[in-house]
Amino acid sequence: MGKAGEQCRGRTYDAELTAVVERAQQGDEDAFAAAYRMVHPGLLVYVRGLVGEDAEDVASDAWLEIARDLGRFRGDGAGFRGWTAMIARHRALDHLRKQTRRPRTGLLEQDVLQLPGGHDTAAAALETLSTEAALAMIRTLPREQAEAVLLRVVVGLDGPAAARVLGKRSGAVRTSAYRGLKRLAEQLTPGSGPGDVTDDVRRTLGEEP
């Protein structure tokens, strides 16, 4: 279906998420469960990229906070994904800071502690890998690029939303995601030319080649 089809599916997804979040805020437990099912898979992969094997516990803590503060949230489905990612990130940073011994190293652990509180080649190929294999590839990226890729591709945030989560300028996050995906595309498709890789990465970020 190409880029137009993907954008249509994304709008439909966020419209559905907007509706279930609104019902959840009115006390509908089934709607909250639906919002959880829609958001949790990507959120868990993002958290795993930050804290490694402790991701389930950290994500559970994040969802407790999300449930507690749901009434304070204002926004649509896309905003909800960004809001939940920000909460999960804060819980991940708290978890890392509390650890006195860290025998299991998270993918982005050391650098994260220093941070402020279209159908494309890279994304399509990553989808064919297991979660651990995909995270292992993302782990090879510089810290800024790795977390930007996780937020843009895995969580599905747009540039401004990812920037709010990371406390950075939108342009800086977009550049980091672009460079990270370009590097991944070059690793995944060694036979592609530079121009092909560049166009594929731009499609991932919702930009025209």
Side-chain angles (χ1 to χ4, degrees), residues 17-37:
L17 183 57
T18 299
V20 298
V21 169
E22 288 176 350
R23 296 201 305 272
Q25 288 181 307
Q26 296 167 6
D28 187 329
E29 295 183 0
D30 290 338
F32 183 82
Y36 173 88
R37 289 193 298 270

Side-chain angles (χ1 to χ4, degrees), residues 9 27 39 49 55 59 102 104 144 154 168-169 172 188-189 205:
R9 287 195 299 272
V39 173
R102 296 196 293 265
R104 297 186 299 273
E144 294 89 350
V154 177
K168 294 179 177 290
R169 291 180 293 106
L188 291 162
T189 56
L205 301 180

Side-chain angles (χ1 to χ4, degrees), residues 180-204:
L181 283 168
K182 185 171 183 292
R183 290 181 62 167
L184 290 174
E186 290 168 349
Q187 294 179 46
L188 291 162
T189 56
S192 299
D196 297 333
V197 168
T198 299
D199 290 350
D200 286 336
V201 171
R202 284 175 176 165
R203 291 188 187 98
T204 304

Side-chain angles (χ1 to χ4, degrees), residues 14 76 78-83 85-86 89 147-148 151-153 155-177 204-207:
D14 278 336
D76 58 9
F80 183 74
R81 288 189 287 114
W83 181 67
M86 186 176 297
R89 186 171 188 268
E147 197 168 5
L151 286 171
R152 294 297 306 275
V153 176
V155 182
L157 301 185
D158 61 17
R164 286 192 292 272
V165 173
L166 297 175
K168 294 179 177 290
R169 291 180 293 106
S170 179
V173 174
R174 183 168 55 186
T175 297
S176 292
T204 304
L205 301 180
E207 302 172 355

Side-chain angles (χ1 to χ4, degrees), residues 20-71:
V20 298
V21 169
E22 288 176 350
R23 296 201 305 272
Q25 288 181 307
Q26 296 167 6
D28 187 329
E29 295 183 0
D30 290 338
F32 183 82
Y36 173 88
R37 289 193 298 270
M38 294 175 73
V39 173
H40 180 68
L43 197 69
L44 180 62
V45 174
Y46 173 55
V47 174
R48 186 171 296 152
L50 301 179
V51 302
E53 295 180 12
D54 294 331
E56 291 280 0
D57 291 339
V58 173
S60 294
D61 289 342
W63 277 105
L64 288 174
E65 182 173 344
I66 291 165
R68 183 194 70 197
D69 295 342
L70 183 62

